[in-house]
Amino acid sequence: MYVHVPFCRRKCIYCDFFSVGERLADWPAFVGSLLAEGCQRVGSFADDDSDTVSSSSLYIGGGTPSLMPADEFRRLADGLLELFPDGPEEFTIEVNPDDVSADKAAVWRAAGVNRVSMGVQSLVDSELQTIGRRHTADAAVKAYGMLRKSFRNISLDLIFGLPGQTEDSLLHTVEGFLDMSPEHISAYSLMYEEQTALTRMRDSGAIAETPEVDSVEMFSMVSGMLADAGYEQYEISNYARDGYRSIHNSAYWHGLPYLGLGPGAHSYDGLRTRRANRPDLKAWQGAESGFPYTEEILSDDEFREEYIMTRLRTREGISLDDFARSFGASERARLLRQARQFTAPAGSEPLLSRTDSSLSLTKSGIMLSDEVISSLF
């Protein structure tokens, strides 16, 4: 289950998720609507009539969930946990460093949270200011120290390819992350999404996009440093110490069903149906005859392409037997024919590794994953 809390004190210039200003937050009404939607949706989402979630993950993201007042967070957590018959194995909250305090961390932990994902992005203040983050590097380090007293499973987010970022400044950030020693690190290349302030600034010439060759070098440096420090790159952008892979994110990459609550949240039945809640706080919170959403049924081609894209992002890659069960032996044969150009390229390193049972990206292939994956569609 994913719960979207759309309120932000300040919107980061690269963010394209649905969010609104914190001043619009009527927390009691919002939490009440989330719990009502949860009760309504779980019954129609479950495979049986149990009205509970047969899942191992609850993730509260945003937006900025760490803005939620303590009493309302407790009410939300209590209500959501009633939908899990055995309790989720992993219960994550996303937090902003500026919102972390010892008291809040204790509230989250007492409410059942056992994993925290903190958006740090950089440990260079000038880079943080450029992308609109409201915390400083020092605040992030202090917040981590407070979280560590309550949690043994912490994930930190990092972005490379930031405007003005250099390999030296990125090195400083990665070394700072390693000094903190979280159980999990997510490292993403900065994306210029449509209709974001970041893209408008680039298009107007206010900032310059990092050249792709430089981003690849930064990605290589991050991956190498984290590998040397004992982190497993179990997905293209995600690294974990042994036993700390994200259960929630792994569910997305392996095509498992998930239920999204809140304005703008998405759901998937694990087969062909996707739902997207309307990204409109007023319409969603004021719903009286059901929460508004749109629905999409994946075509055969869309389903197959999505399968290839998500599975190849993982360390294990595509199970060829499972691919054949899902799409047929002829599609399996076609996939392997298309993959041959990458498994045995003339005069260059292979980008895909083929075994009797799987197809996965090599270390070199990870650096060119978009090109490889799209060529298999």
Side-chain angles (χ1 to χ4, degrees), residues 223 226-227 230-240 242 245 250 253-254 308-319 351-355 357-363 366:
S223 299
L226 295 184
Y231 289 87
E232 174 198 31
Q233 187 176 12
Y234 70 101
E235 191 270 346
I236 287 177
S237 300
N238 286 270
Y239 307 77
D242 186 36
R245 290 187 180 192
S250 294
W253 304 318
H254 289 91
I308 292 170
M309 179 181 66
T310 55
R311 302 313 192 279
L312 273 184
R313 289 189 63 90
T314 67
R315 184 181 184 89
E316 292 76 21
I318 294 173
S319 164
L351 303 181
L352 284 171
S353 173
R354 160 78 193 280
T355 70
S357 60
S358 68
L359 189 67
S360 59
L361 290 167
T362 64
K363 184 176 180 180
I366 288 174

Side-chain angles (χ1 to χ4, degrees), residues 16-277:
D16 70 336
F17 292 117
F18 171 66
S19 65
V20 296
E22 183 188 13
R23 62 183 177 80
L24 298 178
D26 180 341
W27 291 110
F30 180 74
V31 168
S33 293
L34 282 176
L35 295 176
E37 184 184 21
C39 291
Q40 175 184 309
R41 286 278 169 84
V42 165
S44 61
F45 187 82
D47 293 331
D48 50 35
D49 296 324
S50 64
D51 286 347
T52 59
V53 180
S54 298
S55 172
S56 56
S57 171
L58 171 60
Y59 192 107
I60 301 181
T64 316
S66 51
L67 291 173
M68 189 177 295
D71 55 345
E72 290 302 328
F73 185 83
R74 282 190 291 262
R75 183 164 75 98
L76 175 63
D78 288 347
L80 293 176
L81 290 175
E82 289 181 2
L83 303 176
F84 289 79
D86 302 313
E89 182 178 349
E90 181 182 275
F91 182 179
T92 303
I93 181 175
E94 287 183 353
V95 306
N96 185 293
D98 270 5
D99 302 326
V100 175
S101 67
D103 288 345
K104 275 195 170 183
V107 167
W108 299 328
R109 189 69 186 92
V113 173
N114 57 20
R115 181 176 184 271
V116 176
S117 177
M118 185 163 67
V120 176
Q121 319 308 4
S122 170
L123 290 175
V124 177
D125 286 344
S126 61
E127 294 171 0
L128 293 169
Q129 292 166 6
T130 297
I131 58 175
R133 300 294 292 176
R134 56 184 170 90
H135 67 272
T136 63
D138 185 57
V141 173
K142 289 180 178 177
Y144 180 86
M146 287 184 278
L147 290 172
R148 180 51 80 197
K149 293 177 181 178
S150 294
F151 297 96
R152 60 183 298 270
N153 189 356
I154 299 175
S155 178
L156 301 180
D157 285 357
L158 177 153
I159 298 179
F160 57 89
L162 297 171
Q165 191 175 52
T166 65
E167 286 197 16
D168 285 343
S169 68
L170 178 59
L171 176 64
H172 172 79
T173 291
V174 177
E175 288 177 339
F177 273 45
L178 294 179
D179 285 343
M180 288 185 279
S181 193
E183 285 68 35
H184 187 281
I185 295 174
S186 296
Y188 303 99
S189 175
L190 181 66
M191 300 298 292
Y192 287 76
E193 305 287 358
E194 293 183 12
Q195 298 181 340
T196 61
L198 177 69
T199 298
R200 292 193 295 271
M201 292 170 70
R202 179 200 62 186
D203 294 346
S204 69
I207 60 173
E209 185 172 355
T210 300
E212 183 176 0
V213 64
D214 292 342
S215 285
V216 170
E217 286 296 321
M218 289 179 176
F219 184 26
S220 179
M221 184 181 80
V222 170
S223 299
M225 291 181 67
L226 295 184
D228 289 344
Y231 289 87
E232 174 198 31
Q233 187 176 12
Y234 70 101
E235 191 270 346
I236 287 177
S237 300
N238 286 270
Y239 307 77
R241 296 198 184 279
D242 186 36
Y244 288 97
R245 290 187 180 192
S246 167
I247 294 173
H248 189 86
N249 291 338
S250 294
Y252 294 146
W253 304 318
H254 289 91
L256 300 180
Y258 53 88
L259 177 61
L261 308 179
H266 289 241
S267 302
Y268 176 51
D269 68 354
L271 300 169
R272 300 295 185 98
T273 304
R274 294 198 174 280
R275 289 179 177 179
N277 283 2

